[in-house]
Amino acid sequence: MSFGITLTRPVLMFNEKAILSLFAGDSKSAHNLQTYLLSRDHSKLKSEFQDGYRKKIVDSIDQLPAVEVVLGEHVFLTVGDYNLAGKS
């Protein structure tokens, strides 16, 4: 008998349209926000969203205005959360 173990990192999913609307259609800024969020430690990011009542102000991206990112609207911490949001 043999088996394999696969370790996976939690997946961060985005609502592309909602993030784009944060920056009035500026796709470069929307991409920079996504890159910034993906660079964060997943468990720390999850904790920040929980501490902020499902919201997080991101103001640390160079030359971009501060934006409020809402969990379940702009970003999803798992693929399952993203898929469930799309069904409602």
Side-chain angles (χ1 to χ4, degrees):
M1 173 172 30
S2 66
F3 62 93
I5 297 175
T6 303
L7 299 175
T8 59
R9 181 175 185 262
V11 178
L12 200 59
M13 299 292 295
F14 301 101
N15 178 337
E16 305 272 340
K17 287 182 181 180
I19 288 181
L20 196 56
S21 72
L22 288 173
F23 297 101
D26 181 359
S27 61
K28 183 177 179 185
S29 296
H31 176 74
N32 287 343
L33 173 64
Q34 291 176 9
T35 301
Y36 169 76
L37 291 172
L38 286 169
S39 73
R40 302 293 313 278
D41 176 77
H42 191 270
S43 61
K44 187 172 183 175
L45 191 60
K46 179 179 179 180
S47 178
E48 290 170 359
F49 273 114
Q50 289 172 340
D51 293 344
Y53 302 100
R54 303 181 59 84
K55 297 178 182 179
K56 174 174 176 42
I57 302 294
V58 177
D59 61 357
S60 57
I61 302 174
D62 290 339
Q63 300 182 7
L64 290 179
V67 292
E68 182 178 76
V69 180
V70 179
L71 185 64
E73 181 179 334
H74 301 107
V75 66
F76 303 87
L77 296 174
T78 69
V79 174
D81 292 343
Y82 176 79
N83 290 334
L84 286 174
K87 292 181 179 182
S88 55

